[in-house]
Amino acid sequence: QVQLVESGGGLVQAGESLRLSCVASGRIFRVNAMGWYRQAPGKQRELVASISRTNNTDYTDSVKGRFTISRDFAKNTVYLQMNSLKPEDTAVYYCEAKITDLIREYRYWGQGTQVTVSS
């Protein structure tokens, strides 16, 4: 079994920063791409940022220049540094990882961490 555990969410004011972390553990041969998604009330889950095994990154337009995704391969950990937060960034943030065991690749999700940005 594989678990993804997120941390770092909270309540901040507009303009402040937060750093999310997500650690993958368990039966892991290799962690491939990792990413962060978010879901606001009444909205669909959307991709915020992703990072490949070769450190190629991609961001949704609304966070470009404010958020930075990074990873530590040795620790099977992905981070999301969120700066200049806006009220519209309020959502539950989910970590996602594509992980290979010895046979095939699986997609895993974390339990989510709440980020609330007050105006």
Side-chain angles (χ1 to χ4, degrees), residues 28-97:
I28 297 172
F29 175 69
R30 186 178 65 201
V31 180
N32 299 323
M34 303 185 80
W36 289 95
Y37 287 71
R38 67 186 179 187
Q39 188 167 18
K43 295 187 177 181
Q44 289 189 334
R45 188 174 298 189
E46 64 168 348
L47 175 64
V48 176
S50 64
I51 184 166
S52 72
R53 184 159 179 83
T54 54
N55 275 332
N56 290 322
T57 59
D58 191 27
Y59 299 90
T60 191
D61 286 345
S62 62
V63 308
K64 286 179 180 177
R66 300 188 298 123
F67 290 11
T68 302
I69 190 170
S70 61
R71 64 188 293 177
D72 184 329
F73 285 92
K75 297 180 179 179
N76 288 334
T77 299
V78 64
Y79 305 97
L80 186 68
Q81 178 66 42
M82 305 186 293
N83 298 329
S84 302
L85 282 161
K86 304 176 180 180
E88 51 264 43
D89 294 318
T90 296
V92 178
Y93 283 70
Y94 297 91
C95 173
E96 178 253 8

Side-chain angles (χ1 to χ4, degrees), residues 2 20 44 84 101:
V2 172
L20 305 183
Q44 289 189 334
S84 302
D101 62 14

